[in-house]
Amino acid sequence: MWRYFPDNYMWSYQIVRMISQSYFGGGEVNEILDAASKMELGDFESFHREWMNTGHKALSKANDAMDKGNKETAREAYLRSANYFRTAEFFLQPDDERKIPTYLKSVESFKKGSELLDHPPKVVNIPFEHASLPGYFFEAPGQKNGPMMVMFGGLDSTAEELYYGPAQFLNARGISLLALDGPGQGGALRLHHIHSRHDYDVAGTAAYEWAVDNLDVDRDRIGVMAVSMGGYMAARCAAFEPRFKACAIWGAVYDYNDVWAKRPDNHPLAKILQHIFGVEDMSAARAKLQHYNLRGVADKIKAPTYIIHGEDDHQNKVDNAYNVYNDLTCSRHLKIVPKSSPGSSHCQVDNITETYEMYDWIKEQLEK
């Protein structure tokens, strides 16, 4: 993966992530590079400041365009600003008073932009525990009683982010998408205080049953997918919810405890991990992590399963993909993007085209 900051993988990954999403309305490459050029490496305040500044500039352009009745220009600017604000919130610690307002600014901008799309998504709230799981239903144009994928993000993803690529790829193939903030994610955590859980299949089943009762989709052609840490979540959902017709794992996680065993307690995402679990320290978080593995779980999956993973993934090593694949007893497909090729980094942010085969595979499964 190309590194804007040669000596800092984590910051560089966020830059490449944004550039990847820019192709789908999540930014503009030169705005992204301009913001990065003004940051002081290692200074998280500068990271937040520059993304906020870039987000506000895009938001101003959006509002100005709306005032003039130029909805197309406004739409694009709102969608860019939403993703800039999302990134500005990324490294903010859970107790930072700016975290929730920044998150809400991102969501508000996204909703304003998505309402101006040719096919606006439906805002959804799926009853869960004491509150609900927020998200969006991106219905494939012209589809009635058609196929659908339920999708969760990863450790740090939001439902809004899943528009910048996945929703568009699936809709283009005639497949609707129910993009959700699951337990420990997005608004489910920040607004409703629903923490992550190792038995993520409970959320998967809630999403499936809500979709069947409330959306015009074919109950026999609903699959599940997730990205990054979501690789664990999707597998868990498919293992214990047999009604899912297909499972797509975009970045495998076989043992999330093992991933964090290699990270220090002062890792930049450590306090965020604690927040996701609803615990006060890393000792308690590590105790929770011991339950996040697919031993004795992956072999219960009956639905056809697709795994894509980068050989040069620095966050979840490629062994995760091999271990999940080798435990599967269902129809299975494994794609490893070799280290020598772009797309070999975490979740193919350095070449999103490597994921196209996964979407083609999903289409094939849900057409059956």
Side-chain angles (χ1 to χ4, degrees), residues 137-138 146-150 170 174-178 207-208 211-212 215 217-218 221-224 244 362 366:
F137 177 55
F138 297 92
M148 185 193 78
M149 292 295 285
V150 172
L170 289 168
I175 302 167
S176 297
L177 172 66
L178 180 60
Y208 177 94
V212 168
L215 301 174
V217 294
D218 184 346
R221 292 191 292 162
I222 299 176
V224 64
F244 282 125
I362 291 171
L366 298 187

Side-chain angles (χ1 to χ4, degrees), residues 12 25 49 82 107 119 130 135 139 190 262 280 314 330 337:
S12 295
R49 180 186 66 242
V107 173
H119 301 283
H130 56 275
E139 186 174 24
R190 292 161 177 80
K262 300 175 177 64
E280 297 297 325
H314 285 228
C330 58
V337 182

Side-chain angles (χ1 to χ4, degrees), residues 43-62:
D43 179 356
F44 289 97
E45 282 300 312
S46 72
F47 185 94
H48 172 75
R49 180 186 66 242
E50 296 307 327
W51 287 122
M52 286 299 289
N53 287 343
T54 307
H56 278 129
K57 289 177 183 178
L59 181 58
S60 295
K61 292 178 180 178

Side-chain angles (χ1 to χ4, degrees), residues 205-248:
T205 292
Y208 177 94
E209 293 184 343
W210 183 90
V212 168
D213 290 340
N214 294 275
L215 301 174
D216 187 6
V217 294
D218 184 346
R219 67 173 61 224
D220 296 322
R221 292 191 292 162
I222 299 176
V224 64
M225 66 184 295
V227 60
S228 191
M229 180 192 175
Y232 166 83
M233 302 165 186
R236 178 87 196 192
C237 289
F240 294 101
E241 179 43 81
R243 290 173 291 183
F244 282 125
K245 186 173 177 59
C247 174

